[in-house]
Amino acid sequence: SYGGQTQGWNVAVDGNAWKIEPAWSLKLEAYMSTPVVHRVHAFLHTRSQHLACVDLDTGTKRWQSESKFGKYM
């Protein structure tokens, strides 16, 4: 997450070379924390202080909390 968006990348080895390509981009920014990944979902604490779940295969935001969590000082 950087610059107001979260990105997914496809990473593969092609012979002796790495191949890295963008897979998806989502207007959602994690902030002041490390996302938690479980299977194909990432759970982010966002800049707007909500908790959100992103599907890592598609880049779709599955849900976002209505309540805010944590206050940055």
Side-chain angles (χ1 to χ4, degrees):
S1 293
Y2 182 74
Q5 58 181 318
T6 297
Q7 302 171 345
W9 296 83
N10 290 323
V11 180
V13 177
D14 186 8
N16 291 328
W18 287 92
K19 185 177 179 183
I20 302 171
E21 297 177 336
W24 51 262
S25 180
L26 175 65
K27 186 174 178 169
L28 181 73
E29 185 175 6
Y31 189 68
M32 301 296 284
S33 63
T34 301
V36 174
V37 175
H38 179 69
R39 297 185 181 162
V40 298
H41 295 100
F43 300 88
L44 315 170
H45 187 232
T46 68
R47 181 176 282 278
S48 63
Q49 301 174 352
H50 294 274
L51 184 63
C53 176
V54 177
D55 183 311
L56 296 174
D57 287 337
T58 64
T60 303
K61 180 169 62 172
R62 300 292 302 246
W63 53 262
Q64 180 171 306
S65 66
E66 292 182 21
S67 301
K68 291 186 175 186
F69 298 93
K71 186 146 180 104
Y72 309 123
M73 302 283 177

Short mmCIF file of all heavy atoms in Angstrom, two decimals:
data_model
loop_
_atom_site.label_atom_id
_atom_site.label_comp_id
_atom_site.label_asym_id
_atom_site.label_seq_id
_atom_site.Cartn_x
_atom_site.Cartn_y
_atom_site.Cartn_z
N SER A 1 0.84 -1.18 0.00
CA SER A 1 0.00 0.00 0.00
C SER A 1 0.88 1.23 0.00
O SER A 1 1.77 1.37 0.82
CB SER A 1 -0.85 0.05 1.26
OG SER A 1 -1.79 -0.98 1.27
N TYR A 2 0.61 2.12 -0.92
CA TYR A 2 1.33 3.38 -0.97
C TYR A 2 0.60 4.33 -1.89
O TYR A 2 0.06 3.92 -2.90
CB TYR A 2 2.77 3.18 -1.46
CG TYR A 2 3.55 4.46 -1.48
CD1 TYR A 2 4.01 5.02 -0.29
CD2 TYR A 2 3.80 5.13 -2.66
CE1 TYR A 2 4.70 6.21 -0.29
CE2 TYR A 2 4.50 6.32 -2.67
CZ TYR A 2 4.95 6.85 -1.48
OH TYR A 2 5.63 8.04 -1.49
N GLY A 3 0.59 5.60 -1.54
CA GLY A 3 -0.01 6.61 -2.40
C GLY A 3 -1.50 6.45 -2.56
O GLY A 3 -2.05 6.79 -3.60
N GLY A 4 -2.18 5.94 -1.55
CA GLY A 4 -3.62 5.82 -1.60
C GLY A 4 -4.15 4.57 -2.28
O GLY A 4 -5.32 4.46 -2.53
N GLN A 5 -3.26 3.62 -2.57
CA GLN A 5 -3.74 2.40 -3.20
C GLN A 5 -2.98 1.17 -2.72
O GLN A 5 -1.88 1.26 -2.23
CB GLN A 5 -3.68 2.50 -4.71
CG GLN A 5 -2.30 2.76 -5.28
CD GLN A 5 -2.36 2.87 -6.80
OE1 GLN A 5 -3.04 2.09 -7.44
NE2 GLN A 5 -1.66 3.82 -7.35
N THR A 6 -3.65 0.03 -2.86
CA THR A 6 -3.07 -1.27 -2.56
C THR A 6 -2.92 -1.99 -3.89
O THR A 6 -3.79 -1.91 -4.75
CB THR A 6 -3.99 -2.06 -1.61
OG1 THR A 6 -4.09 -1.33 -0.38
CG2 THR A 6 -3.48 -3.45 -1.35
N GLN A 7 -1.79 -2.68 -4.06
CA GLN A 7 -1.51 -3.33 -5.34
C GLN A 7 -1.20 -4.80 -5.14
O GLN A 7 -0.62 -5.19 -4.14
CB GLN A 7 -0.32 -2.66 -6.02
CG GLN A 7 -0.52 -1.19 -6.26
CD GLN A 7 0.74 -0.50 -6.72
OE1 GLN A 7 1.84 -1.03 -6.61
NE2 GLN A 7 0.59 0.70 -7.24
N GLY A 8 -1.58 -5.60 -6.13
CA GLY A 8 -1.22 -7.01 -6.18
C GLY A 8 -0.30 -7.23 -7.38
O GLY A 8 -0.45 -6.58 -8.42
N TRP A 9 0.66 -8.13 -7.23
CA TRP A 9 1.64 -8.40 -8.29
C TRP A 9 1.72 -9.89 -8.55
O TRP A 9 1.66 -10.70 -7.63
CB TRP A 9 3.02 -7.89 -7.85
CG TRP A 9 3.04 -6.41 -7.67
CD1 TRP A 9 2.65 -5.72 -6.55
CD2 TRP A 9 3.43 -5.44 -8.62
NE1 TRP A 9 2.79 -4.38 -6.77
CE2 TRP A 9 3.27 -4.17 -8.03
CE3 TRP A 9 3.91 -5.50 -9.92
CZ2 TRP A 9 3.57 -3.00 -8.68
CZ3 TRP A 9 4.21 -4.33 -10.58
CH2 TRP A 9 4.04 -3.10 -9.96
N ASN A 10 1.88 -10.26 -9.82
CA ASN A 10 2.16 -11.64 -10.20
C ASN A 10 3.67 -11.79 -10.29
O ASN A 10 4.33 -11.01 -11.00
CB ASN A 10 1.54 -11.97 -11.57
CG ASN A 10 0.04 -12.04 -11.50
OD1 ASN A 10 -0.52 -12.51 -10.52
ND2 ASN A 10 -0.63 -11.57 -12.53
N VAL A 11 4.21 -12.76 -9.56
CA VAL A 11 5.66 -13.00 -9.55
C VAL A 11 5.90 -14.44 -9.99
O VAL A 11 5.28 -15.37 -9.46
CB VAL A 11 6.24 -12.78 -8.14
CG1 VAL A 11 7.74 -13.03 -8.14
CG2 VAL A 11 5.92 -11.37 -7.64
N ALA A 12 6.79 -14.62 -10.97
CA ALA A 12 7.10 -15.95 -11.48
C ALA A 12 8.55 -16.01 -11.92
O ALA A 12 9.18 -14.97 -12.15
CB ALA A 12 6.18 -16.30 -12.66
N VAL A 13 9.06 -17.20 -12.05
CA VAL A 13 10.41 -17.41 -12.59
C VAL A 13 10.26 -17.93 -14.00
O VAL A 13 9.56 -18.91 -14.25
CB VAL A 13 11.21 -18.39 -11.71
CG1 VAL A 13 12.58 -18.66 -12.32
CG2 VAL A 13 11.35 -17.86 -10.30
N ASP A 14 10.93 -17.26 -14.95
CA ASP A 14 10.91 -17.64 -16.36
C ASP A 14 12.34 -18.02 -16.74
O ASP A 14 13.14 -17.15 -17.04
CB ASP A 14 10.39 -16.48 -17.20
CG ASP A 14 10.19 -16.85 -18.66
OD1 ASP A 14 10.31 -18.05 -19.00
OD2 ASP A 14 9.92 -15.94 -19.47
N GLY A 15 12.64 -19.32 -16.68
CA GLY A 15 14.02 -19.76 -16.90
C GLY A 15 14.88 -19.31 -15.72
O GLY A 15 14.63 -19.69 -14.59
N ASN A 16 15.86 -18.45 -16.00
CA ASN A 16 16.73 -17.92 -14.95
C ASN A 16 16.34 -16.50 -14.55
O ASN A 16 17.07 -15.86 -13.79
CB ASN A 16 18.19 -17.93 -15.41
CG ASN A 16 18.73 -19.34 -15.52
OD1 ASN A 16 18.32 -20.23 -14.77
ND2 ASN A 16 19.62 -19.57 -16.46
N ALA A 17 15.25 -15.99 -15.07
CA ALA A 17 14.87 -14.60 -14.81
C ALA A 17 13.54 -14.53 -14.06
O ALA A 17 12.65 -15.36 -14.27
CB ALA A 17 14.75 -13.85 -16.14
N TRP A 18 13.45 -13.54 -13.21
CA TRP A 18 12.19 -13.27 -12.52
C TRP A 18 11.28 -12.46 -13.43
O TRP A 18 11.75 -11.58 -14.14
CB TRP A 18 12.45 -12.46 -11.25
CG TRP A 18 13.07 -13.27 -10.17
CD1 TRP A 18 14.41 -13.42 -9.93
CD2 TRP A 18 12.40 -14.05 -9.19
NE1 TRP A 18 14.61 -14.25 -8.86
CE2 TRP A 18 13.38 -14.65 -8.39
CE3 TRP A 18 11.07 -14.31 -8.92
CZ2 TRP A 18 13.07 -15.49 -7.33
CZ3 TRP A 18 10.76 -15.13 -7.86
CH2 TRP A 18 11.75 -15.71 -7.08
N LYS A 19 10.00 -12.76 -13.39
CA LYS A 19 9.01 -12.03 -14.17
C LYS A 19 8.00 -11.45 -13.18
O LYS A 19 7.34 -12.20 -12.45
CB LYS A 19 8.32 -12.98 -15.15
CG LYS A 19 7.37 -12.31 -16.09
CD LYS A 19 6.81 -13.34 -17.08
CE LYS A 19 5.84 -12.69 -18.01
NZ LYS A 19 5.24 -13.66 -18.93
N ILE A 20 7.90 -10.14 -13.13
CA ILE A 20 7.02 -9.45 -12.19
C ILE A 20 6.09 -8.53 -12.98
O ILE A 20 6.56 -7.69 -13.74
CB ILE A 20 7.83 -8.64 -11.17
CG1 ILE A 20 8.79 -9.58 -10.42
CG2 ILE A 20 6.91 -7.92 -10.20
CD1 ILE A 20 9.78 -8.86 -9.55
N GLU A 21 4.78 -8.72 -12.80
CA GLU A 21 3.79 -7.92 -13.52
C GLU A 21 2.68 -7.50 -12.56
O GLU A 21 2.28 -8.27 -11.69
CB GLU A 21 3.16 -8.73 -14.65
CG GLU A 21 4.13 -9.16 -15.72
CD GLU A 21 3.46 -10.01 -16.78
OE1 GLU A 21 2.41 -10.64 -16.49
OE2 GLU A 21 3.99 -10.05 -17.90
N PRO A 22 2.13 -6.29 -12.75
CA PRO A 22 1.00 -5.88 -11.92
C PRO A 22 -0.22 -6.77 -12.19
O PRO A 22 -0.50 -7.11 -13.33
CB PRO A 22 0.73 -4.43 -12.34
CG PRO A 22 1.55 -4.16 -13.54
CD PRO A 22 2.53 -5.27 -13.70
N ALA A 23 -0.91 -7.17 -11.13
CA ALA A 23 -2.10 -8.00 -11.27
C ALA A 23 -3.38 -7.18 -11.07
O ALA A 23 -4.35 -7.37 -11.78
CB ALA A 23 -2.06 -9.15 -10.26
N TRP A 24 -3.35 -6.27 -10.08
CA TRP A 24 -4.52 -5.45 -9.79
C TRP A 24 -4.12 -4.26 -8.92
O TRP A 24 -3.03 -4.24 -8.35
CB TRP A 24 -5.63 -6.25 -9.11
CG TRP A 24 -5.20 -7.04 -7.91
CD1 TRP A 24 -4.88 -8.37 -7.87
CD2 TRP A 24 -5.03 -6.56 -6.56
NE1 TRP A 24 -4.53 -8.75 -6.61
CE2 TRP A 24 -4.61 -7.65 -5.78
CE3 TRP A 24 -5.18 -5.33 -5.95
CZ2 TRP A 24 -4.34 -7.54 -4.42
CZ3 TRP A 24 -4.91 -5.22 -4.60
CH2 TRP A 24 -4.51 -6.31 -3.84
N SER A 25 -5.01 -3.28 -8.87
CA SER A 25 -4.80 -2.09 -8.04
C SER A 25 -6.15 -1.70 -7.44
O SER A 25 -7.18 -1.78 -8.11
CB SER A 25 -4.24 -0.96 -8.90
OG SER A 25 -4.04 0.19 -8.11
N LEU A 26 -6.14 -1.29 -6.19
CA LEU A 26 -7.37 -0.95 -5.48
C LEU A 26 -7.15 0.34 -4.71
O LEU A 26 -6.12 0.50 -4.04
CB LEU A 26 -7.71 -2.09 -4.50
CG LEU A 26 -8.90 -1.91 -3.57
CD1 LEU A 26 -10.20 -1.83 -4.37
CD2 LEU A 26 -8.96 -3.06 -2.58
N LYS A 27 -8.10 1.26 -4.79
CA LYS A 27 -7.99 2.52 -4.07
C LYS A 27 -8.31 2.28 -2.60
O LYS A 27 -9.45 2.41 -2.16
CB LYS A 27 -8.92 3.58 -4.67
CG LYS A 27 -8.71 4.93 -4.03
CD LYS A 27 -9.50 6.01 -4.69
CE LYS A 27 -9.22 7.30 -3.92
NZ LYS A 27 -9.71 8.45 -4.58
N LEU A 28 -7.30 1.86 -1.85
CA LEU A 28 -7.42 1.55 -0.43
C LEU A 28 -5.99 1.55 0.12
O LEU A 28 -5.12 0.89 -0.44
CB LEU A 28 -8.05 0.17 -0.23
CG LEU A 28 -8.26 -0.28 1.20
CD1 LEU A 28 -9.42 0.52 1.83
CD2 LEU A 28 -8.59 -1.76 1.25
N GLU A 29 -5.75 2.29 1.19
CA GLU A 29 -4.39 2.41 1.70
C GLU A 29 -4.27 1.90 3.13
O GLU A 29 -4.93 2.42 4.04
CB GLU A 29 -3.93 3.86 1.65
CG GLU A 29 -2.49 4.05 2.05
CD GLU A 29 -2.02 5.48 1.89
OE1 GLU A 29 -2.83 6.37 1.58
OE2 GLU A 29 -0.82 5.71 2.07
N ALA A 30 -3.44 0.87 3.32
CA ALA A 30 -3.11 0.41 4.67
C ALA A 30 -2.20 1.47 5.29
O ALA A 30 -1.48 2.18 4.59
CB ALA A 30 -2.40 -0.93 4.61
N TYR A 31 -2.26 1.57 6.62
CA TYR A 31 -1.53 2.66 7.26
C TYR A 31 -1.04 2.24 8.63
O TYR A 31 -1.81 1.74 9.44
CB TYR A 31 -2.45 3.88 7.38
CG TYR A 31 -1.76 5.13 7.82
CD1 TYR A 31 -0.85 5.77 7.00
CD2 TYR A 31 -2.04 5.69 9.05
CE1 TYR A 31 -0.22 6.93 7.40
CE2 TYR A 31 -1.42 6.85 9.46
CZ TYR A 31 -0.51 7.47 8.63
OH TYR A 31 0.11 8.62 9.03
N MET A 32 0.24 2.45 8.89
CA MET A 32 0.87 2.26 10.19
C MET A 32 0.74 0.84 10.73
O MET A 32 0.73 0.64 11.95
CB MET A 32 0.28 3.25 11.21
CG MET A 32 0.44 4.71 10.83
SD MET A 32 2.16 5.23 10.76
CE MET A 32 2.55 5.38 12.48
N SER A 33 0.61 -0.13 9.86
CA SER A 33 0.54 -1.52 10.31
C SER A 33 0.90 -2.45 9.15
O SER A 33 0.90 -2.04 7.99
CB SER A 33 -0.86 -1.86 10.83
OG SER A 33 -1.81 -1.74 9.80
N THR A 34 1.18 -3.68 9.48
CA THR A 34 1.46 -4.70 8.47
C THR A 34 0.18 -5.49 8.22
O THR A 34 -0.45 -5.94 9.17
CB THR A 34 2.57 -5.65 8.97
OG1 THR A 34 3.74 -4.88 9.24
CG2 THR A 34 2.87 -6.73 7.94
N PRO A 35 -0.22 -5.64 6.96
CA PRO A 35 -1.42 -6.44 6.68
C PRO A 35 -1.24 -7.88 7.17
O PRO A 35 -0.15 -8.43 7.16
CB PRO A 35 -1.53 -6.41 5.15
CG PRO A 35 -0.76 -5.20 4.75
CD PRO A 35 0.35 -5.07 5.74
N VAL A 36 -2.34 -8.48 7.59
CA VAL A 36 -2.35 -9.89 7.97
C VAL A 36 -2.91 -10.67 6.79
O VAL A 36 -3.97 -10.32 6.27
CB VAL A 36 -3.23 -10.12 9.22
CG1 VAL A 36 -3.37 -11.60 9.53
CG2 VAL A 36 -2.66 -9.36 10.41
N VAL A 37 -2.19 -11.71 6.36
CA VAL A 37 -2.63 -12.52 5.21
C VAL A 37 -3.04 -13.89 5.71
O VAL A 37 -2.30 -14.56 6.45
CB VAL A 37 -1.50 -12.64 4.16
CG1 VAL A 37 -1.91 -13.57 3.04
CG2 VAL A 37 -1.13 -11.26 3.63
N HIS A 38 -4.24 -14.31 5.30
CA HIS A 38 -4.74 -15.65 5.61
C HIS A 38 -5.35 -16.22 4.34
O HIS A 38 -6.33 -15.68 3.82
CB HIS A 38 -5.78 -15.61 6.73
CG HIS A 38 -6.35 -16.95 7.06
ND1 HIS A 38 -5.60 -17.95 7.66
CD2 HIS A 38 -7.58 -17.47 6.86
CE1 HIS A 38 -6.35 -19.01 7.83
NE2 HIS A 38 -7.56 -18.76 7.34
N ARG A 39 -4.71 -17.25 3.82
CA ARG A 39 -5.11 -17.88 2.56
C ARG A 39 -5.14 -16.84 1.45
O ARG A 39 -4.10 -16.33 1.09
CB ARG A 39 -6.41 -18.65 2.72
CG ARG A 39 -6.26 -19.79 3.71
CD ARG A 39 -7.46 -20.65 3.80
NE ARG A 39 -7.21 -21.69 4.80
CZ ARG A 39 -8.15 -22.37 5.35
NH1 ARG A 39 -9.42 -22.17 5.03
NH2 ARG A 39 -7.86 -23.30 6.25
N VAL A 40 -6.30 -16.52 0.88
CA VAL A 40 -6.34 -15.57 -0.25
C VAL A 40 -6.89 -14.21 0.17
O VAL A 40 -7.34 -13.44 -0.67
CB VAL A 40 -7.17 -16.12 -1.44
CG1 VAL A 40 -6.54 -17.38 -1.99
CG2 VAL A 40 -8.61 -16.34 -1.03
N HIS A 41 -6.82 -13.90 1.47
CA HIS A 41 -7.33 -12.62 1.95
C HIS A 41 -6.26 -11.86 2.73
O HIS A 41 -5.48 -12.47 3.47
CB HIS A 41 -8.56 -12.81 2.84
CG HIS A 41 -9.71 -13.39 2.10
ND1 HIS A 41 -10.02 -14.73 2.18
CD2 HIS A 41 -10.60 -12.84 1.26
CE1 HIS A 41 -11.07 -14.97 1.39
NE2 HIS A 41 -11.44 -13.84 0.83
N ALA A 42 -6.25 -10.56 2.56
CA ALA A 42 -5.39 -9.67 3.36
C ALA A 42 -6.31 -8.79 4.19
O ALA A 42 -7.31 -8.27 3.68
CB ALA A 42 -4.50 -8.83 2.47
N PHE A 43 -5.97 -8.62 5.45
CA PHE A 43 -6.74 -7.79 6.36
C PHE A 43 -5.88 -6.57 6.69
O PHE A 43 -4.75 -6.71 7.16
CB PHE A 43 -7.09 -8.58 7.62
CG PHE A 43 -7.91 -9.80 7.31
CD1 PHE A 43 -7.30 -11.01 7.01
CD2 PHE A 43 -9.29 -9.73 7.26
CE1 PHE A 43 -8.04 -12.14 6.69
CE2 PHE A 43 -10.05 -10.85 6.94
CZ PHE A 43 -9.43 -12.04 6.66
N LEU A 44 -6.42 -5.39 6.37
CA LEU A 44 -5.66 -4.15 6.47
C LEU A 44 -6.30 -3.19 7.47
O LEU A 44 -7.51 -3.07 7.53
CB LEU A 44 -5.63 -3.42 5.12
CG LEU A 44 -5.34 -4.22 3.87
CD1 LEU A 44 -5.61 -3.37 2.64
CD2 LEU A 44 -3.92 -4.68 3.88
N HIS A 45 -5.45 -2.48 8.20
CA HIS A 45 -5.90 -1.35 9.00
C HIS A 45 -5.65 -0.13 8.10
O HIS A 45 -4.52 0.16 7.75
CB HIS A 45 -5.11 -1.26 10.30
CG HIS A 45 -5.64 -0.22 11.22
ND1 HIS A 45 -4.85 0.74 11.77
CD2 HIS A 45 -6.89 0.00 11.70
CE1 HIS A 45 -5.58 1.52 12.56
NE2 HIS A 45 -6.82 1.08 12.53
N THR A 46 -6.70 0.55 7.71
CA THR A 46 -6.59 1.59 6.68
C THR A 46 -6.29 2.97 7.26
O THR A 46 -6.43 3.21 8.45
CB THR A 46 -7.88 1.68 5.86
OG1 THR A 46 -8.93 2.19 6.70
CG2 THR A 46 -8.27 0.33 5.28
N ARG A 47 -5.87 3.86 6.38
CA ARG A 47 -5.58 5.24 6.76
C ARG A 47 -6.80 5.89 7.41
O ARG A 47 -6.68 6.72 8.29
CB ARG A 47 -5.13 6.05 5.54
CG ARG A 47 -4.79 7.50 5.88
CD ARG A 47 -4.27 8.25 4.69
NE ARG A 47 -2.89 7.94 4.39
CZ ARG A 47 -1.84 8.48 5.00
NH1 ARG A 47 -2.02 9.34 5.97
NH2 ARG A 47 -0.62 8.17 4.64
N SER A 48 -7.99 5.49 6.99
CA SER A 48 -9.22 6.05 7.56
C SER A 48 -9.63 5.34 8.86
O SER A 48 -10.73 5.54 9.36
CB SER A 48 -10.36 5.97 6.54
OG SER A 48 -10.64 4.62 6.23
N GLN A 49 -8.74 4.49 9.38
CA GLN A 49 -8.88 3.80 10.67
C GLN A 49 -9.94 2.70 10.67
O GLN A 49 -10.46 2.33 11.71
CB GLN A 49 -9.15 4.79 11.80
CG GLN A 49 -8.06 5.81 11.95
CD GLN A 49 -8.40 6.88 12.98
OE1 GLN A 49 -9.52 6.94 13.48
NE2 GLN A 49 -7.45 7.72 13.28
N HIS A 50 -10.26 2.16 9.51
CA HIS A 50 -11.19 1.04 9.41
C HIS A 50 -10.40 -0.24 9.18
O HIS A 50 -9.26 -0.21 8.75
CB HIS A 50 -12.17 1.25 8.25
CG HIS A 50 -13.08 2.41 8.45
ND1 HIS A 50 -14.27 2.31 9.14
CD2 HIS A 50 -12.98 3.70 8.09
CE1 HIS A 50 -14.86 3.49 9.18
NE2 HIS A 50 -14.09 4.35 8.55
N LEU A 51 -11.03 -1.37 9.44
CA LEU A 51 -10.46 -2.66 9.11
C LEU A 51 -11.10 -3.12 7.81
O LEU A 51 -12.32 -3.02 7.65
CB LEU A 51 -10.76 -3.67 10.23
CG LEU A 51 -10.16 -5.05 10.08
CD1 LEU A 51 -8.64 -4.97 10.09
CD2 LEU A 51 -10.65 -5.97 11.18
N ALA A 52 -10.28 -3.57 6.87
CA ALA A 52 -10.80 -3.99 5.56
C ALA A 52 -10.21 -5.34 5.17
O ALA A 52 -9.10 -5.68 5.57
CB ALA A 52 -10.47 -2.95 4.49
N CYS A 53 -10.95 -6.07 4.36
CA CYS A 53 -10.51 -7.37 3.84
C CYS A 53 -10.44 -7.29 2.32
O CYS A 53 -11.39 -6.87 1.67
CB CYS A 53 -11.51 -8.45 4.26
SG CYS A 53 -11.14 -10.07 3.56
N VAL A 54 -9.29 -7.69 1.76
CA VAL A 54 -9.08 -7.67 0.32
C VAL A 54 -8.82 -9.08 -0.18
O VAL A 54 -8.02 -9.82 0.41
CB VAL A 54 -7.87 -6.77 -0.05
CG1 VAL A 54 -7.59 -6.81 -1.54
CG2 VAL A 54 -8.11 -5.34 0.42
N ASP A 55 -9.51 -9.48 -1.26
CA ASP A 55 -9.28 -10.76 -1.92
C ASP A 55 -8.01 -10.62 -2.75
O ASP A 55 -7.95 -9.80 -3.67
CB ASP A 55 -10.47 -11.10 -2.81
CG ASP A 55 -10.35 -12.45 -3.47
OD1 ASP A 55 -9.28 -12.76 -4.04
OD2 ASP A 55 -11.33 -13.21 -3.42
N LEU A 56 -6.98 -11.39 -2.42
CA LEU A 56 -5.69 -11.25 -3.09
C LEU A 56 -5.67 -11.81 -4.52
O LEU A 56 -4.81 -11.45 -5.31
CB LEU A 56 -4.60 -11.93 -2.26
CG LEU A 56 -4.36 -11.30 -0.89
CD1 LEU A 56 -3.36 -12.12 -0.09
CD2 LEU A 56 -3.88 -9.86 -1.05
N ASP A 57 -6.62 -12.65 -4.86
CA ASP A 57 -6.70 -13.17 -6.23
C ASP A 57 -7.26 -12.13 -7.20
O ASP A 57 -6.82 -12.03 -8.33
CB ASP A 57 -7.57 -14.43 -6.30
CG ASP A 57 -6.87 -15.64 -5.70
OD1 ASP A 57 -5.62 -15.66 -5.64
OD2 ASP A 57 -7.59 -16.58 -5.30
N THR A 58 -8.23 -11.36 -6.73
CA THR A 58 -8.95 -10.44 -7.63
C THR A 58 -8.70 -8.96 -7.34
O THR A 58 -8.99 -8.12 -8.18
CB THR A 58 -10.46 -10.68 -7.53
OG1 THR A 58 -10.89 -10.36 -6.20
CG2 THR A 58 -10.81 -12.12 -7.87
N GLY A 59 -8.22 -8.64 -6.13
CA GLY A 59 -8.05 -7.25 -5.75
C GLY A 59 -9.36 -6.59 -5.34
O GLY A 59 -9.45 -5.37 -5.24
N THR A 60 -10.37 -7.38 -5.06
CA THR A 60 -11.67 -6.87 -4.67
C THR A 60 -11.73 -6.67 -3.16
O THR A 60 -11.31 -7.54 -2.40
CB THR A 60 -12.77 -7.88 -5.07
OG1 THR A 60 -12.70 -8.12 -6.47
CG2 THR A 60 -14.15 -7.36 -4.71
N LYS A 61 -12.25 -5.51 -2.74
CA LYS A 61 -12.48 -5.30 -1.31
C LYS A 61 -13.71 -6.10 -0.93
O LYS A 61 -14.80 -5.84 -1.43
CB LYS A 61 -12.66 -3.82 -0.99
CG LYS A 61 -12.88 -3.56 0.48
CD LYS A 61 -12.80 -2.10 0.88
CE LYS A 61 -13.84 -1.25 0.20
NZ LYS A 61 -13.88 0.13 0.72
N ARG A 62 -13.54 -7.08 -0.06
CA ARG A 62 -14.65 -7.95 0.34
C ARG A 62 -15.56 -7.26 1.36
O ARG A 62 -16.75 -7.40 1.32
CB ARG A 62 -14.13 -9.26 0.94
CG ARG A 62 -13.26 -10.08 -0.01
CD ARG A 62 -14.07 -10.63 -1.16
NE ARG A 62 -15.16 -11.42 -0.68
CZ ARG A 62 -15.31 -12.71 -0.85
NH1 ARG A 62 -14.42 -13.39 -1.51
NH2 ARG A 62 -16.35 -13.34 -0.36
N TRP A 63 -14.93 -6.54 2.30
CA TRP A 63 -15.71 -5.78 3.27
C TRP A 63 -14.82 -4.74 3.95
O TRP A 63 -13.60 -4.82 3.87
CB TRP A 63 -16.36 -6.69 4.31
CG TRP A 63 -15.45 -7.64 5.04
CD1 TRP A 63 -15.26 -8.97 4.75
CD2 TRP A 63 -14.63 -7.35 6.16
NE1 TRP A 63 -14.36 -9.52 5.62
CE2 TRP A 63 -13.96 -8.55 6.51
CE3 TRP A 63 -14.36 -6.22 6.92
CZ2 TRP A 63 -13.05 -8.63 7.57
CZ3 TRP A 63 -13.47 -6.31 7.98
CH2 TRP A 63 -12.84 -7.50 8.29
N GLN A 64 -15.48 -3.80 4.61
CA GLN A 64 -14.79 -2.79 5.41
C GLN A 64 -15.64 -2.52 6.64
O GLN A 64 -16.87 -2.42 6.54
CB GLN A 64 -14.58 -1.51 4.62
CG GLN A 64 -13.87 -0.43 5.41
CD GLN A 64 -13.49 0.75 4.56
OE1 GLN A 64 -12.83 0.57 3.54
NE2 GLN A 64 -13.91 1.93 4.95
N SER A 65 -15.02 -2.40 7.80
CA SER A 65 -15.76 -2.19 9.04
C SER A 65 -16.47 -0.83 9.02
O SER A 65 -15.99 0.12 8.40
CB SER A 65 -14.82 -2.27 10.25
OG SER A 65 -13.89 -1.19 10.21
N GLU A 66 -17.60 -0.78 9.69
CA GLU A 66 -18.29 0.50 9.86
C GLU A 66 -17.62 1.31 10.96
O GLU A 66 -17.54 2.54 10.88
CB GLU A 66 -19.76 0.26 10.21
CG GLU A 66 -20.56 -0.34 9.06
CD GLU A 66 -22.02 -0.53 9.41
OE1 GLU A 66 -22.50 0.14 10.36
OE2 GLU A 66 -22.68 -1.33 8.74
N SER A 67 -17.14 0.63 11.99
CA SER A 67 -16.48 1.29 13.11
C SER A 67 -15.02 1.60 12.80
O SER A 67 -14.40 0.91 11.98
CB SER A 67 -16.53 0.40 14.35
OG SER A 67 -17.85 0.11 14.71
N LYS A 68 -14.50 2.60 13.47
CA LYS A 68 -13.08 2.94 13.35
C LYS A 68 -12.32 2.27 14.50
O LYS A 68 -12.86 2.06 15.58
CB LYS A 68 -12.87 4.44 13.42
CG LYS A 68 -13.39 5.16 12.21
CD LYS A 68 -13.03 6.62 12.27
CE LYS A 68 -13.45 7.31 10.98
NZ LYS A 68 -13.00 8.70 10.97
N PHE A 69 -11.06 1.91 14.22
CA PHE A 69 -10.20 1.27 15.21
C PHE A 69 -8.87 1.99 15.24
O PHE A 69 -8.25 2.21 14.20
CB PHE A 69 -9.96 -0.20 14.84
CG PHE A 69 -11.22 -1.02 14.81
CD1 PHE A 69 -11.92 -1.19 13.62
CD2 PHE A 69 -11.70 -1.61 15.96
CE1 PHE A 69 -13.06 -1.94 13.58
CE2 PHE A 69 -12.86 -2.37 15.93
CZ PHE A 69 -13.54 -2.54 14.74
N GLY A 70 -8.39 2.34 16.42
CA GLY A 70 -7.07 2.96 16.57
C GLY A 70 -7.09 4.43 16.19
O GLY A 70 -7.79 4.83 15.29
N LYS A 71 -6.31 5.19 16.92
CA LYS A 71 -6.18 6.62 16.62
C LYS A 71 -4.69 6.92 16.54
O LYS A 71 -3.94 6.59 17.44
CB LYS A 71 -6.84 7.45 17.72
CG LYS A 71 -6.87 8.90 17.40
CD LYS A 71 -8.13 9.51 17.97
CE LYS A 71 -8.18 10.97 17.66
NZ LYS A 71 -9.10 11.27 16.61
N TYR A 72 -4.29 7.53 15.44
CA TYR A 72 -2.88 7.83 15.24
C TYR A 72 -2.54 9.12 15.97
O TYR A 72 -3.26 10.09 15.91
CB TYR A 72 -2.57 7.97 13.76
CG TYR A 72 -3.10 6.80 12.95
CD1 TYR A 72 -3.97 6.98 11.91
CD2 TYR A 72 -2.71 5.51 13.27
CE1 TYR A 72 -4.47 5.91 11.19
CE2 TYR A 72 -3.21 4.43 12.56
CZ TYR A 72 -4.07 4.64 11.51
OH TYR A 72 -4.54 3.59 10.81
N MET A 73 -1.41 9.10 16.63
CA MET A 73 -0.97 10.29 17.36
C MET A 73 0.12 11.00 16.59
O MET A 73 0.87 10.47 15.91
CB MET A 73 -0.42 9.89 18.74
CG MET A 73 -1.41 9.17 19.57
SD MET A 73 -2.56 10.37 20.20
CE MET A 73 -3.68 9.35 21.06
#
